Amino acid sequence: MLNLIRKDIVLQKNSLLILLPALFIFLFLERSVIWVGVIFCFAIIMQSFALDEKPSANLLMNSLPYTRKEIVSSKYIGACVFTFLVLLTIVIGNLIIHREITQWDQLLFIASVIVVFISFAFPFSYLFKSQYLMMACGVLFVLYVVLVNTFIPDLGDRLRAGVQTILSFDNSLLYAGGILAAVLLYMFSWMLSIRIYSRKVF
Amino acid sequence: MENVIELQNVNKAFKGFELKDLSISVKKGFVTGFIGGNGVGKSTTIKLILNLLQPDSGDVSVFGLNYKKHEKEIKQRIGFVFDHNVFYEHITLSDMKKIIKPAYKNWDDGIFHQYVNLFELPLKKSIKTFSKGMMMKASLAFALSHRAELIIMDEPTSGLDPIFRRELLDILHDIMQDGEKTIFFSTHITTDLDRIADYITFIHNGQHIFTKEHYKIEEDYAIVKGETNLLDRDTEQEFIGIRKSNHGFEALTTNKQRTANLFGDMVILEKPTLEDIMLYTKKGNDNYVKSYS
Amino acid sequence: MQIIISNTSKEPIYEQIYVQIKKHILTNELQAGEALPSMRQLAKDLDISVITTKRAYEELEKNGFIFSIVGKGSFVSEQNNEMILERKRKVIEEQLLSAIQNSKEIGVELEELLELLTMLYKEDT
């Protein structure tokens, strides 16, 4: 299984070499760390997912001595590895550019958002295709815009405020609860993906 | 004799196509050629053997093991070649090796580089620049570098030039020297089989028609040629697939001896090619279907 | 050992191999105890399937021309070989006798018969 994760890194080698330095630029421009972190994690993880989505890649992976369980699991663990890489880059970047230590709750927040996002994105993509995920996101975005314009005009602000509120909580119990919920969701999604993938026909 | 692959009463249905009660066995130490027309279930069968598909019912076992319990063990011992490229196209052959090598316990870099040199494959060029023949050679290099005991190939010679097809057969002969390895491959190019195949497995419309020693085919089957007036309701029963013209008939018999006894000098009996057998079986099958509809 | 295979011949390939190896044995080109190439090596050399050479060797073994030792290969048999030669010689003797008888019946002289034999013998090779 480690081999499969290493494989994803070998395959992503070139884009990682471009994306991770690009992250520095965004940090330099002082964009929101959370926003940048989430986008980069998601881009790298989904790109790696999309590469293995072709029938030929599935044919190859499944003909090699790996089980379907391992193939799916490697994607879930790989997502954690990629997230860690991005977070590490952020920490190092902030240290070099701004001479400051990134707040750990920001990092944790990025990780939680990614965990929740992947929990939905992977089973969805195994069931359909990751291309449809983009469409689904588009539809969601349209819904969001409609929602903002017709019902709750200040939804954006509220979300931002919400994020700030969550981050400003000093209740470690709440944090622990949140993380536990995210991890449970991730585990559930993992099991679900294995079930979906085992029944796939190439 | 030991069977390396065993399919027992396998059924698998898709939309508009099904494998019906398929039972096939592949003998250890020999080359089995797998023939049949397009869309009769060859690729599906190969995918079942590689556990890329699971049967609706029936058993698939490889090396006497089943996939439910021994998936990785089985796949460690199989080398595979598909008719199209399954490798990541945007990376180089040497990166691809980095991906495949750690998957196998018995990987041997020496063998891999020996084949890469023999096939004159560029290690540092991205795979998408490879020609069809080079892709095939690369697949073969990967399939042979982990000392696989069973090599499964889906149409390995399609799209290859005759010179490389010959070279490939030579390589296969070399692999077979120790008698421990087994090759199972599907093909359209039946002349390749004359040079290498020990057994021929023929399927048609999702059903197993026969598995025979190669030399046995010409002992059993024959092309029969004669005058049309020899044909009547009874004699037609002797053949599968008959082609009639104004000048005579041509048919396939599955029992050469019987036909020879029955018609004697009135007909000519000829050695059938595998293509003849495929063609007449299809013809016979269609007629059969027609007469019932 | 020379073996020439014809793909267009009506004779099955294993039969062609059988006949040619048998000839090599009977003419002592392959001597008793001599090892034959392995089935698999021969198949590779002749560019044919292993099962074909296997069948040829099985036929040779069945008829006592060769014997095989598991793990070592196939060898030309000894006593059977001489028996076969003897048998063959007997057949030749009988055939020659009937030829002589026929010659005498129509008055063909020994010299003429010898000439004919020499001619036919040379023609065949």
Side-chain angles (χ1 to χ4, degrees):
Chain A
M1 187 133 74
L2 274 176
N3 297 331
L4 283 168
I5 298 166
R6 199 163 68 188
K7 172 214 98 193
D8 280 345
I9 295 174
V10 170
L11 286 176
Q12 290 288 76
K13 200 172 54 183
N14 290 337
S15 36
L16 283 179
L17 283 177
I18 297 167
L19 281 173
L20 293 182
L23 200 60
F24 271 61
I25 298 169
F26 279 96
L27 290 176
F28 186 69
L29 294 173
E30 299 202 31
R31 300 286 159 156
S32 151
V33 171
I34 291 179
W35 186 236
V36 170
V38 168
I39 292 293
F40 269 81
C41 284
F42 199 64
I44 293 173
I45 293 168
M46 288 320 286
Q47 198 194 350
S48 153
F49 188 93
L51 260 180
D52 276 349
E53 230 174 2
K54 287 185 202 151
S56 61
N58 275 316
L59 218 55
L60 174 66
M61 285 304 122
N62 284 283
S63 304
L64 289 170
Y66 297 119
T67 60
R68 294 195 176 198
K69 213 185 212 165
E70 287 175 323
I71 293 168
V72 172
S73 300
S74 78
K75 285 287 172 229
Y76 275 83
I77 298 172
C80 297
V81 173
F82 283 128
T83 308
F84 177 77
L85 276 178
V86 170
L87 295 183
L88 192 70
T89 316
I90 290 176
V91 170
I92 294 171
N94 269 336
L95 207 62
I96 295 172
I97 298 167
H98 303 300
R99 310 230 155 259
E100 63 177 25
I101 307 237
T102 319
Q103 285 167 297
W104 65 271
D105 51 358
Q106 278 188 333
L107 298 179
L108 216 56
F109 187 75
I110 298 174
S112 310
V113 170
I114 288 298
V115 162
V116 173
F117 217 96
I118 294 299
S119 300
F120 289 103
F122 276 8
F124 181 91
S125 304
Y126 276 126
L127 202 56
F128 308 106
K129 259 184 175 170
S130 66
Q131 288 167 330
Y132 297 130
L133 191 68
M134 294 329 259
M135 278 187 232
C137 286
V139 171
L140 279 179
F141 184 72
V142 170
L143 274 177
Y144 170 79
V145 171
V146 170
L147 219 60
V148 166
N149 287 334
T150 52
F151 299 106
I152 328 163
D154 59 343
L155 187 67
D157 295 329
R158 282 198 202 182
L159 278 177
R160 230 159 288 153
V163 169
Q164 284 311 315
T165 333
I166 294 171
L167 286 178
S168 61
F169 275 146
D170 211 15
N171 190 339
S172 44
L173 202 68
L174 197 71
Y175 267 132
I179 290 167
L180 189 70
V183 169
L184 281 178
L185 182 69
Y186 202 62
M187 292 296 185
F188 176 75
S189 156
W190 192 334
M191 298 302 142
L192 184 66
S193 290
I194 289 175
R195 277 194 77 118
I196 295 170
Y197 192 70
S198 319
R199 294 182 187 168
K200 272 203 117 144
V201 171
F202 308 118
Chain B
M1 245 184 298
E2 209 178 319
N3 289 332
V4 171
I5 302 174
E6 226 161 323
L7 268 69
Q8 275 168 355
N9 311 101
V10 168
N11 286 284
K12 178 83 195 173
F14 296 110
K15 270 188 200 124
F17 170 76
E18 61 174 328
L19 289 181
K20 281 163 278 192
D21 206 31
L22 196 68
S23 296
I24 291 179
S25 53
V26 174
K27 299 227 165 7
K28 184 181 170 176
F30 292 98
V31 178
T32 299
F34 188 31
I35 60 168
N38 279 329
V40 299
K42 292 201 302 285
S43 287
T44 304
T45 307
I46 285 183
K47 284 179 178 175
L48 284 164
I49 295 169
L50 285 167
N51 199 34
L52 296 168
L53 286 176
Q54 280 84 37
D56 298 337
S57 67
D59 288 318
V60 176
S61 77
V62 182
F63 306 117
L65 305 168
N66 68 21
Y67 272 109
K68 278 205 182 75
K69 281 188 188 156
H70 305 279
E71 170 149 26
K72 291 172 81 170
E73 267 175 86
I74 295 172
K75 287 181 178 172
Q76 281 285 350
R77 296 158 70 184
I78 296 181
F80 54 88
V81 173
F82 291 106
D83 62 338
H84 61 282
N85 179 39
V86 295
F87 302 121
Y88 297 101
E89 292 189 335
H90 69 290
I91 58 171
T92 63
L93 190 59
S94 119
D95 275 341
M96 197 62 228
K97 191 199 84 176
K98 277 187 206 145
I99 289 172
I100 292 189
K101 175 183 169 175
Y104 292 109
K105 285 182 208 147
N106 290 331
W107 182 271
D108 188 328
D109 260 345
I111 302 179
F112 181 73
H113 287 287
Q114 187 191 319
Y115 282 117
V116 166
N117 289 334
L118 180 71
F119 298 155
E120 298 173 333
L121 291 170
L123 280 167
K124 295 288 170 203
K125 268 192 188 162
S126 87
I127 294 176
K128 64 169 169 275
T129 65
F130 283 22
S131 67
K132 171 107 190 161
M134 287 160 80
M135 298 265 196
M136 164 63 214
K137 289 176 186 181
S139 299
L140 204 62
F142 282 121
L144 300 178
S145 295
H146 59 96
R147 305 175 200 276
E149 294 158 56
L150 168 62
I151 293 162
I152 295 176
M153 303 187 282
D154 192 4
E155 302 282 350
T157 51
S158 70
L160 296 181
D161 65 73
I163 299 166
F164 182 59
R165 285 216 322 267
R166 282 290 186 92
E167 283 171 20
L168 172 69
L169 296 180
D170 267 348
I171 292 165
L172 298 186
H173 268 301
D174 276 335
I175 295 169
M176 297 311 289
Q177 287 302 312
D178 65 5
E180 291 298 315
K181 305 209 176 59
T182 307
I183 296 178
F184 183 69
F185 76 109
S186 69
T187 185
H188 270 124
I189 304 165
T190 47
T191 46
D192 290 343
L193 295 171
D194 295 334
R195 302 183 179 277
I196 187 88
D198 298 308
Y199 290 89
I200 303 288
T201 292
F202 176 33
I203 66 168
H204 185 71
N205 280 346
Q207 280 172 307
H208 181 232
I209 308 290
F210 66 70
T211 294
K212 280 178 194 286
E213 287 91 347
H214 198 179
Y215 58 75
K216 198 97 168 64
I217 291 171
E218 64 186 66
E219 286 177 9
D220 295 347
Y221 285 75
I223 291 288
V224 187
K225 292 178 182 174
E227 288 177 18
T228 343
N229 57 25
L230 290 171
L231 294 176
D232 59 40
R233 246 174 194 288
D234 290 331
T235 53
E236 281 188 16
Q237 297 298 322
E238 295 293 318
F239 308 122
I240 49 167
I242 303 171
R243 247 182 59 197
K244 285 180 226 174
S245 76
N246 293 331
H247 315 291
F249 79 92
E250 233 185 273
L252 183 75
T253 171
T254 55
N255 194 336
K256 187 177 167 183
Q257 204 51 54
R258 196 181 139 88
T259 306
N261 294 341
L262 212 63
F263 293 98
D265 286 342
M266 290 186 290
V267 293
I268 298 174
L269 293 178
E270 280 180 352
K271 215 194 249 188
T273 62
L274 290 170
E275 276 166 36
D276 289 332
I277 293 173
M278 282 161 70
L279 175 76
Y280 280 101
T281 304
K282 182 177 183 306
K283 240 177 142 49
N285 241 314
D286 293 348
N287 287 342
Y288 180 80
V289 173
K290 247 184 251 157
S291 65
Y292 277 78
S293 58
Chain C
M1 181 175 66
Q2 302 286 307
I3 296 176
I4 314 294
I5 300 287
S6 159
N7 282 318
T8 48
S9 161
K10 252 196 159 174
E11 229 179 332
I13 292 172
Y14 69 83
E15 185 78 36
Q16 297 180 35
I17 299 171
Y18 171 81
V19 168
Q20 291 182 51
I21 293 184
K22 187 173 101 177
K23 192 181 133 207
H24 290 314
I25 292 173
L26 291 179
T27 55
N28 258 337
E29 203 175 310
L30 279 172
Q31 285 174 3
E34 205 173 317
L36 288 170
S38 78
M39 268 162 13
R40 288 176 187 275
Q41 184 60 48
L42 187 65
K44 178 178 155 41
D45 294 343
L46 297 177
D47 204 10
I48 53 172
S49 60
V50 173
I51 201 107
T52 311
T53 50
K54 187 167 175 273
R55 172 82 190 262
Y57 278 28
E58 276 167 5
E59 297 279 320
L60 285 166
E61 194 167 351
K62 203 168 73 191
N63 293 320
F65 293 103
I66 63 170
F67 63 94
S68 51
I69 302 172
V70 178
K72 288 210 163 162
S74 304
F75 303 87
V76 177
S77 327
E78 199 146 3
Q79 76 265 48
N80 281 6
N81 190 12
E82 295 199 334
M83 256 165 57
I84 288 155
L85 277 180
E86 197 123 305
R87 214 164 40 224
K88 280 263 163 191
R89 246 184 222 125
K90 226 175 209 141
V91 173
I92 296 169
E93 248 170 56
E94 278 166 16
Q95 285 168 336
L96 282 177
L97 267 175
S98 70
I100 292 167
Q101 232 149 41
N102 280 330
S103 305
K104 281 181 177 162
E105 273 172 26
I106 56 167
V108 174
E109 295 291 315
L110 176 64
E111 261 168 48
E112 205 177 330
L113 188 62
L114 272 175
E115 230 166 71
L116 187 66
L117 183 69
T118 321
M119 196 181 75
L120 286 173
Y121 194 92
K122 279 180 181 162
E123 233 171 41
D124 192 47
T125 48

